[in-house]
Amino acid sequence: MKTAQRIRISLLLTALVAIILGDSGCNQTKWSESEMGDIRIVTNHGGQTLGYSTTSGIQLIIDHGFAFKDLNRNGELDPYEDWRLPVDLRARDLAGKMSIEQIAGLMLYSGHQAIPAQGGGRFGGTYEGKSLEESGVSPWSLTDQQKKFLTEDNLRHVLITRVQGPEVAARWNNEVQALVEGIGMGIPANNSSDPRHGSDASAEYNYGAGGQISMWPGSLGLAATFDPQLVEEFGKIASHEYRALGITTALSPQIDLATEPRWNRFNGTFGENPILSADMARAYVDGFQNSPDSMVIFGGWGFHSVNAMVKHWPGGGPEEGGRDGHFGYGAYAVYPGNNFAMHLVPFTEGAFKLNGPTRMASAVMPYYTISYNQDTVNGENTANAYNKYIIQDLLRGRYGYDGVICTDWMVTGDVTGVEVFQGKPWGVENLSVAERHYRILMAGCDQFGGNNDAGPVLAAYRMGVEEKGEAWMRSRFEESALRLLRNIFRVGLFENPYLNIEETKRVVGNPEYMKAGYEAQLKSVVMVKNKEKVLPLKKGLKVYVPQRYIAPGRDWFGNVSPERWETPVNVKVAGSFFELTDNPNEADVALVFIQSPSGMTGYDLEDREKGGTGYVPISLQYSSYKADEARDPSIAGGSPFEEFVNRTYKGKTFTASNFSDLKSVEAAAKVMGGKPVITLISTSNPLVLKEVEPLSDAILLHFQVQDQVLMSILTGDSEPSALLPMQMPFNMAVVESQFEDVPQDMQVYIDSEGNPYDFAFGMNWSGVIQDERVARYRK
């Protein structure tokens, strides 16, 4: 924007304020100030409350009796500093004033930040060149790396991972905000988080007691309630807790349509039904974004609002063979059922059509995958963030989305093989890092996830100037800046980004919120079998709980975990409901705790080292599986790191790493000699239940809940009410024949009681549930 245009806009905005206020009360003081340590709280009576730090060096400006923060320290009230003006006008004014270097920093989204940082490792950090312990600083101090990217790279979007506790998180937030308030244009930090309200299985719930944060079922568990109102209530509570931690953007919900049952991110979704997923997405975003009336700034947005970044456009669910896009071996999403459009439904009919006044989710994250052969304009097979058809033509053009689009993390980084956890530039591996940034900007994205370095963004700007000219590229940068600033203004951060530590301690994990989360967990457990109504059990029965074997393994980052045996339930919690015994001969009933078949990614280095392609099956059964029915050739394939394109795994054999879970159920059935065996499965994906169902008198499926929840249902303190948010396949041949992009297209397992384990199936004490939820969603 040219200087003359900016001056004219500023004069017009100043005139607008004068017209609104007139001359009345110009000299009347309408504000008061209080202290909170180094922070000053300014109450504008009849206006917005401000917060500023005495260490940042900013001063107040008084206009018509009201106080404003002089964020750029020029002694004048700029339109972007004037809380009386509409958000878009303020954001546009500030975008026009920012340097290219400042806008480039705004486009960055940090790598994962732990508070405090550990000394080494992938997410480590230092304090004056030392570890936290060696430095002697407080755990809420900023790391050397954080100071650098905030001051030198102008980064203002920070992804927070693990925090030591609510107080530490709040004090860290105040440290960050005081630092950035005193530099540049005084733009506050927009801190974010991936979902952090999951349950600690071993934690004990006590009515009236608080905790570190309220604990809820995972996304699949929320879906299993089939209750959008409950999900919206979760959003309201979670957003209040987020704001008390200094978090103003949620990197959630994950609303991919989970049509591929083998995908290892299935459990982060709302299941495979498009209508249920859309309803849950809408409820979740409404809960997070809409502030209660007393906290509203405008249009539903306010001081309790949290921006929701829905993910992953245009749906990451249909991964070929279930392989995930974090790795090159899972780069392709495929559409054998020609069902691409259905994967957009949770976005277009859910997150983009809210019931509340914020109207639509304020940010979107595309997935890593190449949506294979879906670019009908340019015919390009590149990862979604690089694809102009997927982003500009479809999301922005056809669906009119003008919110922030932020790439998934590390999409611009380099990578050295399909099996390594590095950058994820699928389809553009041949480009430089700077060229990838430019390609993403030209596709229509605004922000780069996991990038702390402004260098490649500035290089992309120079490429644009060379191709399009300075004016065009400046305008393109301001376009993204406007969107990014809008989300910071909406939630009130420019007025007061600071936290009252005592209020944080009161809000986060308070008894009321803990109770709501616990009750939601109770509503998320699915009972699929109850032979001869063996459940509920009488309290005080003697119960045998087999130890659970954990095989050695390796996580995504290559960290090795040794084999071990563990007690799979909190003994104290279980002991308050039953008498526990190690002797099955003495027991009245066995409780066998297992997990979904696991340990498979669809790629195996041993297979490659033996001369194979590396591609192997992902199995949903525990026992050894040979993929005789697998597709050959694969639909998609091709990588600079492979000399072939056919990624078939037909005829190969693989076994779940937790095969011992099946052995545990078999052993329990044998030693119990006809006495009841209850199987409790921590469920992350659909699974082939015909292996364990005949051995079990009752089966409970749960999705990240506390042990106490399971004990309460087992003993009848609570009645199971949840329904399956997905189908359970008859066998692996059925899984191989289903289409990755089509929901509910499998032949389902029918148990020994004659019940089909289909979508929306579940039982209570009376039998199979047939209620309004089933009628609405099972169509």
Side-chain angles (χ1 to χ4, degrees):
M1 188 183 298
K2 295 181 179 179
T3 302
Q5 289 179 296
R6 295 192 195 107
I7 293 172
R8 284 197 297 271
I9 290 173
S10 292
L11 290 173
L12 287 171
L13 294 177
T14 302
L16 174 63
V17 172
I19 292 170
I20 293 171
L21 295 175
D23 293 324
S24 60
C26 287
N27 300 316
Q28 181 181 350
T29 299
K30 301 175 183 177
W31 62 278
S32 58
E33 187 173 87
S34 59
E35 296 184 4
M36 191 173 67
D38 290 335
I39 298 166
R40 299 295 180 265
I41 301 300
V42 178
T43 302
N44 281 299
H45 305 290
Q48 297 297 334
T49 297
L50 312 180
Y52 70 96
S53 173
T54 58
T55 65
S56 70
I58 71 161
Q59 302 295 320
L60 296 179
I61 292 177
I62 309 304
D63 184 74
H64 286 77
F66 290 114
F68 304 84
K69 293 159 68 173
D70 186 12
L71 291 167
N72 61 3
R73 298 166 302 285
N74 67 352
E76 300 177 2
L77 179 60
D78 293 284
Y80 87 89
E81 297 165 334
D82 192 339
W83 44 259
R84 296 167 298 191
L85 294 175
V87 161
D88 272 22
L89 291 178
R90 298 177 69 189
R92 195 172 298 279
D93 174 67
L94 178 52
K97 288 179 165 68
M98 293 173 70
S99 69
I100 291 301
E101 289 75 16
Q102 289 168 334
I103 296 177
L106 199 63
M107 290 177 167
L108 303 177
Y109 222 126
S110 83
H112 299 68
Q113 304 297 309
I115 307 171
Q118 301 303 308
R122 183 177 293 270
F123 306 125
T126 57
Y127 300 84
E128 298 179 0
K130 303 175 183 177
S131 69
L132 178 69
E133 293 75 14
E134 292 171 333
S135 70
V137 301
S138 302
W140 52 80
S141 299
L142 305 189
T143 66
D144 302 330
Q145 294 76 18
Q146 290 163 358
K147 290 176 183 177
K148 178 187 180 300
F149 65 57
L150 290 168
T151 59
E152 297 180 21
D153 294 286
N154 297 299
L155 184 149
R156 290 297 179 272
H157 293 79
V158 184
L159 173 57
I160 298 170
T161 55
R162 184 190 64 253
V163 298
Q164 184 171 303
E167 179 177 354
V168 170
R171 291 187 183 278
W172 179 88
N173 170 81
N174 290 353
E175 292 281 326
V176 170
Q177 302 296 2
L179 174 62
V180 299
E181 186 175 68
I183 56 179
M185 308 300 287
I187 299 172
N190 182 355
N191 302 323
S192 70
S193 174
D194 281 308
R196 61 192 317 115
H197 281 83
S199 297
D200 177 356
S202 64
E204 184 175 2
Y205 170 72
N206 293 305
Y207 180 77
Q212 288 284 69
I213 198 166
S214 62
M215 292 187 285
W216 297 71
S219 295
L220 209 51
L222 291 173
T225 69
F226 281 61
D227 186 352
Q229 186 174 346
L230 181 149
V231 174
E232 184 172 349
E233 183 62 24
F234 160 71
K236 292 177 181 178
I237 289 173
S239 65
H240 194 196
E241 291 184 305
Y242 272 24
R243 291 305 300 261
L245 293 168
I247 296 167
T248 44
T249 293
L251 302 188
S252 59
Q254 183 188 335
I255 59 175
D256 308 274
L257 201 57
T259 51
E260 168 46 60
R262 294 163 290 190
W263 187 34
N264 67 10
R265 298 194 70 178
F266 194 107
N267 66 334
T269 74
F270 292 128
E272 63 178 308
N273 182 275
I275 305 303
L276 178 63
S277 293
D279 286 351
M280 293 302 190
R282 184 185 312 108
Y284 190 110
V285 178
D286 266 330
F288 267 84
Q289 291 191 170
N290 289 290
S291 281
D293 291 343
S294 62
M295 293 290 174
V296 166
I297 298 172
F298 85 103
W301 292 99
F303 292 102
H304 278 197
S305 297
V306 171
N307 293 288
M309 184 181 292
V310 293
K311 55 189 186 183
H312 305 88
W313 179 266
E319 304 263 14
E320 185 162 22
R323 299 181 297 271
D324 182 63
H326 277 82
F327 297 88
Y329 58 68
Y332 294 99
V334 296
Y335 302 87
N338 196 28
N339 207 32
F340 177 82
M342 184 173 286
H343 286 261
L344 308 183
V345 168
F347 297 90
T348 61
E349 305 305 311
F352 299 168
K353 288 186 178 179
L354 303 182
N355 292 326
T358 63
R359 295 180 47 248
M360 64 172 57
S362 65
V364 170
M365 181 189 296
Y367 202 42
Y368 296 118
T369 45
I370 296 168
S371 298
Y372 189 66
N373 285 349
Q374 297 307 303
D375 181 348
T376 58
V377 175
N378 307 302
E380 293 182 347
N381 279 313
T382 57
N384 293 313
Y386 294 94
N387 193 291
K388 184 177 181 292
Y389 171 75
I390 295 293
I391 302 300
Q392 188 65 48
D393 297 351
L394 198 61
L395 179 53
R396 293 216 187 275
R398 184 181 304 176
Y399 295 106
Y401 185 76
D402 193 38
V404 168
I405 302 177
C406 176
T407 75
D408 212 330
W409 264 232
M410 301 168 61
V411 300
T412 57
D414 289 326
V415 63
T416 57
V418 298
E419 81 287 358
V420 289
F421 191 86
Q422 295 174 336
K424 300 136 197 355
W426 314 140
V428 292
E429 292 92 339
N430 61 315
L431 299 182
S432 70
V433 171
E435 287 169 335
R436 291 173 195 148
H437 281 75
Y438 183 56
R439 177 75 173 264
I440 285 170
L441 285 172
M442 293 303 100
C445 295
D446 304 298
Q447 200 167 28
F448 305 94
N451 182 7
N452 301 348
D453 180 10
V457 186
L458 293 172
Y461 179 80
R462 292 190 291 270
M463 292 177 188
V465 170
E466 185 174 341
E467 181 183 353
K468 303 282 190 179
E470 182 91 40
W472 190 95
M473 201 58 191
R474 168 79 201 193
S475 177
R476 173 64 188 87
F477 261 48
E478 286 192 24
E479 179 184 309
S480 286
L482 173 62
R483 296 183 185 119
L484 292 160
L485 290 169
R486 185 187 290 145
N487 287 358
I488 304 177
F489 276 110
R490 281 169 167 171
V491 295
L493 285 175
F494 276 89
E495 278 57 72
N496 183 18
Y498 296 99
L499 300 175
N500 181 314
I501 307 304
E502 295 306 313
E503 180 70 2
T504 292
K505 291 191 284 188
R506 184 192 70 79
V507 169
V508 181
N510 71 61
E512 178 187 352
Y513 291 174
M514 295 295 288
K515 181 174 184 287
Y518 183 78
E519 290 177 347
Q521 291 179 57
L522 289 170
K523 296 176 181 178
S524 73
V525 178
V526 183
M527 182 169 69
V528 294
K529 184 177 183 181
N530 192 19
K531 183 179 179 181
E532 297 177 359
K533 296 191 175 180
V534 62
L535 297 180
L537 301 172
K538 184 179 179 181
K539 289 184 179 180
L541 289 176
K542 283 190 176 182
V543 166
Y544 168 60
V545 179
Q547 292 282 295
R548 185 166 182 266
Y549 173 71
I550 311 296
R554 187 183 300 269
D555 66 18
W556 275 8
F557 309 122
N559 301 314
V560 177
S561 57
E563 68 174 351
R564 67 186 190 276
W565 287 88
E566 68 176 18
T567 302
V569 67
N570 183 315
V571 172
K572 180 183 176 183
V573 169
S576 67
F577 289 84
F578 302 109
E579 180 181 345
L580 303 183
T581 177
D582 294 329
N583 186 349
N585 295 323
E586 296 178 353
D588 300 303
V589 62
L591 302 180
V592 187
F593 293 83
I594 62 175
Q595 297 182 2
S596 296
S598 62
M600 295 162 286
T601 64
Y603 194 86
D604 183 47
L605 282 174
E606 289 187 11
D607 178 82
R608 193 176 75 180
E609 290 166 358
K610 293 176 182 178
T613 61
Y615 292 89
V616 295
I618 296 176
S619 177
L620 300 180
Q621 67 184 40
Y622 296 99
S623 57
S624 182
Y625 164 63
K626 185 177 181 184
D628 288 329
E629 307 296 326
R631 178 187 294 135
D632 185 11
S634 62
I635 292 175
S639 166
F641 308 106
E642 295 175 337
E643 297 178 353
F644 55 88
V645 296
N646 185 3
R647 295 182 166 187
T648 185
Y649 48 83
K650 186 172 183 177
K652 294 184 180 180
T653 300
F654 219 75
T655 304
S657 64
N658 60 335
F659 172 61
S660 55
D661 279 352
L662 173 59
K663 291 297 183 183
S664 184
V665 178
E666 291 174 340
K670 182 176 180 179
V671 298
M672 290 303 290
K675 291 181 290 185
V677 173
I678 315 300
T679 302
L680 304 99
I681 308 176
S682 178
T683 307
S684 56
N685 290 76
L687 65 155
V688 178
L689 279 165
K690 72 175 183 179
E691 292 179 304
V692 299
E693 182 273 323
L695 305 170
S696 308
D697 295 278
I699 299 175
L700 296 181
L701 306 180
H702 61 97
F703 312 93
Q704 302 172 33
V705 301
Q706 294 167 258
D707 292 340
Q708 189 170 344
V709 167
L710 300 175
M711 299 300 115
S712 294
I713 289 176
L714 286 171
T715 56
D717 284 351
S718 297
E719 184 173 13
S721 61
L723 306 169
L724 287 175
M726 70 286 209
Q727 295 179 314
M728 293 293 171
F730 177 72
N731 57 25
M732 279 304 300
V734 165
V735 174
E736 296 290 3
S737 65
Q738 58 89 35
F739 286 165
E740 285 92 338
D741 60 324
V742 177
Q744 298 167 225
D745 64 338
M746 294 191 292
Q747 176 188 354
V748 300
Y749 178 68
I750 299 176
D751 71 9
S752 55
E753 303 290 294
N755 290 317
Y757 291 178
D758 207 344
F759 172 79
F761 170 77
M763 302 180 72
N764 56 24
W765 302 142
S766 300
V768 176
I769 297 172
Q770 297 289 350
D771 60 17
E772 66 280 358
R773 299 173 301 163
V774 177
R776 169 171 169 72
Y777 292 106
R778 189 192 285 170
K779 295 180 180 178

